[in-house]
Amino acid sequence: MDIYRIKGGKKLSGEVCISGAKNAALPIIVASLLAEGKTVLKNVPNLMDIRTIIKVIEVLGAKCEFSQEKNTLSITAENIKSNEVPYELVKTMRASYYVMGPLLALNGEAVVSLPGGCAIGERPVDIHLSGFEAMGAEITLEHGNITARTGKDKLKGASYKMSKVSVGATANLMMGAVLAKGKTILENCAMEPDIVDLGSFLIKMGAKITGLGTERIEIEGVKKLNAVTYTVMPDRIEAGTFLIAGAITGGKVTIKKIVPEHIGALIDSLREMGYRVDTSKDSATVYPSKKLKGTIIRAVPYPGFPTDLQAPVMALASVVPGISTVTETIFENRFTHVPELRRMGADITIEGNTAIVRGVKSLSSAPVMMSDLRAGAALVVAALAAKGETEIRRIYHSDRGYENLPEKLSSLGARIERIPGGA
């Protein structure tokens, strides 16, 4: 397996362009199954997860052409005959589960293995299934597969309130409802920009959706959707990670091609720590500061602080003077990065779902290991600021969510290498 070798202590400086949003692109790619004709998606990041979801829809019968250099994906989905996604694909990425909504809408049946993915908690799919049951599907579990069927009828519009906010369930149920008979009302919906982007894509194809970006989304089913050309929004998590990287190294870093409002909670937290952050229409710049202090961070659904930036910001807090607290409210096992940060000298104590972080003067290099995508980002961020040379293993996790990470960091002055074949 490849490793990262990072020589820390270098202030990052310069500008970097942010890629398309993985968490928006994944459901949008799946939603293209609903359209008649050739869908063209632009600003699609070249990531492991993207390549996996392409394999998923190809298994179902879609024809795809992915220009990785141009970040453009063409999809023709007029021959969707298979209704089953095999375990070999679902186990590698949880987002494979998104196909349930489109398959039920198109064919009245979906067979999907129980999902896998990152080791950050159970993340049950019961909200997805309960929603589809409310819309008339019958759910059975056999041999590790979940089968959903609507019988002779298609999905029917229904009112459904999710037991808790779920980005995945909101996306899945939206995709099922756009071709359902009648009106669907979804309550306690996720308000994340990724959901708004998916909804905007569906609307461009001809769906009738109101309430995007609120807790209540209404969908009036239509008979068909048409293929369109659509540009995926920028990745707010990548944007936040690069801002944090600039902050922890004491550099001046500008991130471009972003929507600053999407990372408003992070910008607020950085300013509370004492960093100066300036924003424009499509960029943000973080500046070094000598007057830093700890802060209180609570990872909650959007528009609050994103759980996907909880780990990287904890790495930053570990070198900010004073005490910070970082509370995780969404996933029950998302502190797997803490033992690795401790190996690098961080002073972090866990009490329930809260990490108490006492800032130290500096971190030091150590061999560390990624446990999941965002935990991996935290280790990269920490290594950029640490004294000495850090080796990070299992970097395939970062390949799932960060496009050209070493190259982008190197363009800012980071001393980072990808070493093939590391242990």
Side-chain angles (χ1 to χ4, degrees), residues 119-197:
I120 58 172
E122 290 298 322
R123 302 204 284 184
V125 297
D126 60 300
I127 301 175
H128 303 238
L129 303 181
S130 297
F132 288 127
E133 283 182 323
M135 297 169 69
E138 293 184 359
I139 309 295
T140 58
L141 173 61
E142 189 176 17
H143 306 302
N145 292 329
I146 293 176
T147 300
R149 293 188 179 91
T150 60
K152 295 181 179 180
D153 299 322
K154 287 188 174 182
L155 290 173
K156 297 178 181 179
S159 294
Y160 178 68
K161 183 174 182 179
M162 286 171 253
S163 57
K164 67 177 183 178
V165 177
S166 168
V167 174
T170 302
N172 217 345
L173 297 174
M174 281 174 56
M175 289 187 282
V178 289
L179 294 180
K181 185 177 181 179
K183 177 183 283 190
T184 298
I185 299 174
L186 301 176
E187 296 187 87
N188 202 25
C189 296
M191 297 186 287
E192 269 72 3
D194 314 281
I195 293 295
V196 176
D197 209 34

Side-chain angles (χ1 to χ4, degrees), residues 15 28 52 55 82 132 147 149 189 203 216 356 366 375 393:
E15 300 179 346
I28 286 173
T52 298
K55 290 179 182 177
S82 175
F132 288 127
T147 300
R149 293 188 179 91
C189 296
I203 289 170
R216 179 187 170 98
I356 301 169
R393 303 173 189 273

Side-chain angles (χ1 to χ4, degrees), residues 378-401:
L379 299 183
V380 171
V381 165
L384 292 170
K387 292 181 178 179
E389 185 175 273
T390 298
E391 288 191 355
I392 306 177
R393 303 173 189 273
R394 293 186 180 176
I395 63 173
Y396 56 83
H397 287 294
S398 68
D399 293 338
R400 292 184 50 230

Side-chain angles (χ1 to χ4, degrees), residues 198-211:
L198 169 63
S200 298
F201 172 64
L202 292 169
I203 289 170
K204 190 172 184 180
M205 289 198 295
K208 296 182 179 180
I209 305 173
T210 58

Side-chain angles (χ1 to χ4, degrees), residues 67-86:
S67 173
Q68 299 178 359
E69 295 76 18
K70 296 181 179 180
N71 297 105
T72 299
L73 175 62
S74 299
I75 304 165
T76 303
E78 295 178 342
N79 190 32
I80 305 303
K81 293 182 178 179
S82 175
N83 296 323
E84 183 172 354
V85 181

